Amino acid sequence: MADTFQAPRGTRDILAPESERWHVLVARFAHAARQAGYRPVIPPMFEDLAVFQRVGESTDVVRKEMFLLEARDGDARQALRPEQTASVCRMFAQHRPATPWKVFYSGSNFRYERPQKGRYRQFDQVGAEVLGTDDPDVDVEIIALAWRFFEQIGLRQVSLQLNSLGDGEGRANYLASLREYFGVHVGALSAQSRETLSINPLRVLDSKRPEDGEIVAGAPRMVDHLSPQDRAHFDGVRAGLDALHIPYELTPRLVRGLDYYTRTTFEFASAALDAAQNAVGGGGRYDGLVADLGGPGVAGVGFALGVDRILLACDAEETFGPPPSAVDVFVVSTVAGTDALELTAELRAAGIGADRAFDSRSMKSQMKAADRSGARLALIVGSQELESGNVMLRPLRADTHQQLVPRVEVVARVRAALDATES
RNA sequence: GUGGUCGUAGCUCAGCUCGGUUAGAGCGCCAGGUUGUGGCCCUGGAGGUCGGGGGUUCAAGUCCCCUCGGUCACCCCA
């Protein structure tokens, strides 16, 4: 007996109609991004491990979730991408495009972690980045692009959380005061948070453990330690969001999981999803990353949105269903010969969506298939039609009668019938 | 990586507590009722190594152990 196989852990097969929503979602995002002057980039699925290590040696993504590739010569250190921002920055450092460089992308990322609903080892993101300017208006444009996209696909329960992590001296001062504060209260922290503290004190702020709640709530806040320049930048971002009427919540505890973030950080959370996996997207500014990857010292800002989670949120909000069938006409034939073959090909060549049955099934069976196809019209060829040089045009979604039409006029008659039933 | 929980037709689930003829239902699929017509209805059919392996027993879907997978929480993130 043959062995049976299943999709690897943390991956899944996406079949229609889910796969159809998926494609439409990505296409809608691409359209929105292109309308805002962003152009697509297609980075490789894997990179030198060192590229991803720049997202932060202290992050879980780098420390334990990397999909390493075993090279034939045994010493090439490469890994499947856990995200695409690092690749985009590497692309910039390599090709030095003119700035501002506005790009978008979509595709799979890989993280080796314990799967859950809405969290997979292979997961898809769409994202956009702007490199080469630190104008706060760009932060606003980036956030607005994601925000309008959520609106466009019908999500109403998404909220924007906003924070600034500062940079340079202000950031260093803040980290010092944070270490001091947690140092005093280390005994009251959970064991896990104590460990996190030694790796990256910032991330303790992100703890969801109840016993940490009080300590975290009383911790010093980055927004109180911003340098005058970073304060001005943050004020600029807020003013821009206000001008566009995009509501946001200031979330001082929002630190995000990647170490490269500076100044503006943000996250989109869906109230329609369970709390643990409610982030449908996030991003921020990363002004030092391109330089870390051997490029010029240019600023950058961007976001990534999780395709799987957006669709889960759409399910929860009952919006963005699968697209209607692309099949307009279903050809039914009970005669031997190439009539069904030719009719179907002729319709398709004329730009009319057409499908048919195979295996010489009974008319009843073929009509069932026609019904299921979602087509609005059935085109029936039987012996009577064949002899008289006609085909039977039968509406499937309307109460109007079927009619005989001359075979030679079929494309024009089908087109007229489709136009008539357009709603 | 840690802990909980679940796994029986393609799908959703009964049966397991208390081991005992050929493992069921609904939906879906196929065919017929209707020798030229889908949806509604009726009838029939196909489809299962009860996730996999081992153990206990005269006997295991049912009890025990291991394992794989889903799911939930933590960690972290999309």
Side-chain angles (χ1 to χ4, degrees):
Chain A
M1 181 187 299
D3 291 333
T4 58
F5 295 100
Q6 54 188 321
R9 181 163 211 208
T11 71
R12 64 219 173 100
D13 302 316
I14 302 165
L15 285 69
E18 181 72 359
S19 52
E20 298 189 302
R21 304 168 72 198
W22 187 289
H23 276 294
V24 174
L25 185 90
V26 172
R28 290 269 195 99
F29 177 76
H31 180 71
R34 281 171 46 77
Q35 267 199 319
Y38 293 73
R39 302 178 76 184
V41 288
I42 306 175
M45 287 251 188
F46 58 91
E47 299 268 1
D48 281 0
L49 179 59
V51 170
F52 301 129
Q53 284 172 333
R54 295 300 191 283
V55 309
E57 290 286 2
S58 77
T59 64
D60 281 16
V61 168
V62 169
R63 289 170 66 228
K64 52 188 193 190
E65 296 174 2
M66 204 67 78
F67 263 97
L68 295 172
L69 297 176
E70 187 178 344
R72 298 237 167 180
D73 60 15
D75 62 15
R77 299 279 286 165
Q78 298 182 325
L80 295 178
R81 64 187 183 203
E83 56 129 33
Q84 290 175 68
T85 302
S87 290
V88 168
C89 289
R90 198 226 77 226
M91 287 172 96
F92 186 92
Q94 183 174 336
H95 301 284
R96 312 287 170 120
T99 59
W101 194 47
K102 296 172 55 167
V103 302
F104 73 94
Y105 55 79
S106 65
S108 295
N109 305 304
F110 306 86
R111 292 182 196 174
Y112 192 88
E113 54 188 339
R114 189 91 162 247
Q116 255 180 69
K117 192 179 189 68
R119 182 164 77 183
Y120 304 98
R121 288 182 173 179
Q122 176 176 347
F123 62 100
D124 266 55
Q125 290 182 331
V126 296
E129 318 277 352
V130 180
L131 273 67
T133 167
D134 71 345
D135 188 328
D137 275 6
V138 175
D139 302 48
V140 175
E141 177 176 297
I142 274 284
I143 291 170
L145 177 61
W147 185 261
R148 298 299 176 218
F149 175 63
F150 288 133
E151 280 186 342
Q152 197 192 22
I153 61 177
L155 290 177
R156 295 290 175 269
Q157 297 183 48
V158 173
S159 65
L160 168 62
Q161 328 260 315
L162 187 70
N163 192 22
S164 176
L165 294 178
D167 203 359
E169 203 175 320
R171 175 80 152 267
N173 291 340
Y174 175 61
L175 280 175
S177 67
L178 202 58
R179 276 207 182 81
E180 188 186 328
Y181 172 81
F182 281 133
V184 172
H185 296 91
V186 68
L189 285 173
S190 65
Q192 263 156 340
S193 286
R194 282 200 291 273
E195 195 188 326
T196 306
L197 182 60
S198 64
I199 299 167
N200 184 344
L202 220 46
R203 204 158 302 117
V204 176
L205 296 175
D206 212 24
S207 169
K208 286 171 190 155
R209 304 181 70 79
E211 59 263 48
D212 295 328
E214 204 174 320
I215 311 267
V216 167
R221 310 189 315 167
M222 182 65 228
V223 287
D224 299 326
H225 291 72
L226 292 175
S227 67
Q229 305 94 289
D230 290 347
R231 161 66 57 195
H233 186 273
F234 195 42
D235 288 345
V237 172
R238 296 176 60 180
L241 292 173
D242 290 341
L244 297 185
H245 308 295
I246 295 175
Y248 59 87
E249 300 164 29
L250 285 182
T251 312
R253 287 174 47 188
L254 179 66
V255 298
R256 313 230 359 108
L258 304 172
D259 286 349
Y260 54 60
Y261 284 114
T262 58
R263 304 205 268 184
T264 312
T265 57
F266 54 89
E267 213 165 274
F268 299 99
S270 168
L273 296 179
D274 291 336
Q277 266 89 234
N278 69 350
V280 292
R285 187 159 273 292
Y286 42 87
D287 292 340
L289 185 54
V290 176
D292 279 350
L293 287 163
V298 299
V301 63
F303 64 77
L305 314 179
V307 174
D308 313 72
R309 288 193 190 169
I310 290 173
L311 288 176
L312 284 174
C314 287
D315 289 339
E317 291 201 37
E318 295 180 331
T319 182
F320 200 72
S325 172
V327 174
D328 302 309
V329 182
F330 197 94
V331 176
V332 170
S333 168
T334 56
V335 296
T338 56
D339 300 273
L341 206 56
E342 290 172 39
L343 263 176
T344 310
E346 196 175 324
L347 290 163
R348 289 172 184 166
I352 298 168
D355 199 3
R356 52 164 292 199
F358 298 98
D359 301 320
S360 306
R361 290 175 179 277
S362 68
M363 178 171 289
K364 174 171 178 161
S365 167
Q366 294 191 48
M367 287 300 295
K368 284 180 88 133
D371 189 45
R372 274 193 298 251
S373 75
R376 280 179 286 160
L377 296 174
L379 214 48
I380 303 168
V381 186
S383 52
Q384 288 167 28
E385 288 81 6
L386 196 62
E387 278 171 34
S388 61
N390 293 311
V391 294
M392 187 67 85
L393 189 62
R394 178 177 175 83
L396 295 171
R397 313 285 159 212
D399 280 335
T400 49
H401 274 289
Q402 59 183 17
Q403 52 179 321
L404 271 179
V405 306
R407 170 68 182 80
V408 291
E409 293 174 19
V410 75
V411 166
R413 299 296 291 269
V414 163
R415 210 169 253 146
L418 288 173
D419 288 346
T421 58
E422 202 93 50
S423 56

